């Protein structure tokens, strides 16, 4: 075989563009005795493929039924889902209560400031009444 043809086929092989007959040509070349020194590294690859073709796994494979695991896994997933929903609901209720608390606090502050204004107004009215009573002294009535 021509060395140029083998190099061209090897390039095609490395690019996964060869046909089965071309791959057989390469296999026969690399398993033979006349391999070019600069292509010697590919000999190991083709030798491995030819020996691994005959290998068989002879041990038995034991498959365990995992149905029980799936059952417990689904129970655990359900519990996690319930806990997360409950926690989310709790946090939502907590935020709602916090918002209501702040609104109530704001309303009570407004009420307190209005009551303070009313207290000041009543104090002014009492002062006005006292001053009026001083100016317009009312005579004391005798009781019979």
């Amino acid at each position: 075989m021509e060395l140029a043809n083998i190099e061209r086929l090897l390039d095609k092989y490395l690019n996964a563009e060869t046909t089965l007959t071309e791959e057989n040509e390469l296999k026969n070349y690399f398993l033979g005795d006349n391999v070019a020194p600069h292509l010697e590294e590919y000999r190991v690859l083709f030798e491995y493929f030819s020996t691994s073709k005959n290998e068989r796994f002879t041990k038995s494979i034991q498959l365990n039924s995992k149905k029980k695991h799936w059952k417990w896994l689904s129970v655990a997933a359900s519990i996690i889902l319930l806990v997360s929903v409950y926690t989310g609901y709790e946090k939502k209720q907590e935020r709602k209560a916090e918002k209501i608390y702040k609104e109530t606090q704001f309303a009570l502050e407004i009420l307190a400031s209005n009551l303070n204004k009313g207290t000041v107004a009543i104090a002014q009215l009492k002062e006005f009444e006292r001053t009026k009573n001083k100016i317009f002294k009312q005579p004391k009535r005798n009781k019979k």
Side-chain angles (χ1 to χ4, degrees):
M1 255 183 236
E2 291 182 14
L3 187 59
N5 186 30
I6 293 297
E7 289 175 346
R8 184 184 57 80
L9 285 177
L10 187 59
D11 286 338
K12 281 178 69 175
Y13 180 78
L14 294 175
N15 291 326
E17 299 171 345
T18 55
T19 63
L20 289 177
T21 55
E22 292 171 334
E23 287 179 17
N24 281 332
E25 284 180 45
L26 282 172
K27 183 175 95 173
N28 291 334
Y29 174 77
F30 283 107
L31 292 178
D33 294 333
N34 298 329
V35 178
H38 69 283
L39 298 176
E40 194 68 38
E41 61 188 290
Y42 296 105
R43 176 190 289 255
V44 177
L45 179 72
F46 286 96
E47 285 176 354
Y48 170 76
F49 288 147
S50 67
T51 58
S52 67
K53 202 184 240 186
N54 298 327
E55 290 180 0
R56 298 285 180 251
F57 186 77
T58 57
K59 293 183 180 178
S60 63
I61 298 174
Q62 223 174 10
L63 300 175
N64 294 333
S65 175
K66 294 188 178 185
K67 290 180 182 179
K68 292 179 183 178
H69 297 294
W70 285 109
K71 188 184 292 185
W72 286 110
L73 185 63
S74 63
V75 169
S78 300
I79 290 171
I80 289 171
L81 181 65
L82 287 174
V83 167
S84 64
V85 167
Y86 178 72
T87 305
Y89 178 74
E90 238 180 27
K91 286 184 181 184
K92 183 179 178 184
Q93 291 294 88
E94 189 176 301
R95 284 189 298 248
K96 191 175 180 182
E98 200 171 299
K99 181 181 175 187
I100 291 171
Y101 173 74
K102 286 180 181 179
E103 288 175 356
T104 304
Q105 199 173 25
F106 180 70
L108 289 175
E109 285 175 4
I110 291 173
L111 181 65
S113 69
N114 286 337
L115 285 175
N116 287 339
K117 288 178 187 176
T119 304
V120 170
I122 288 175
Q124 288 175 346
L125 282 176
K126 283 185 181 179
E127 185 64 32
F128 177 75
E129 185 73 27
R130 197 176 313 125
T131 307
K132 181 188 85 161
N133 286 340
K134 281 184 185 177
I135 294 174
F136 302 111
K137 277 191 175 180
Q138 295 192 6
K140 290 185 180 179
R141 296 185 191 168
N142 292 335
K143 292 186 181 179
K144 293 183 188 180

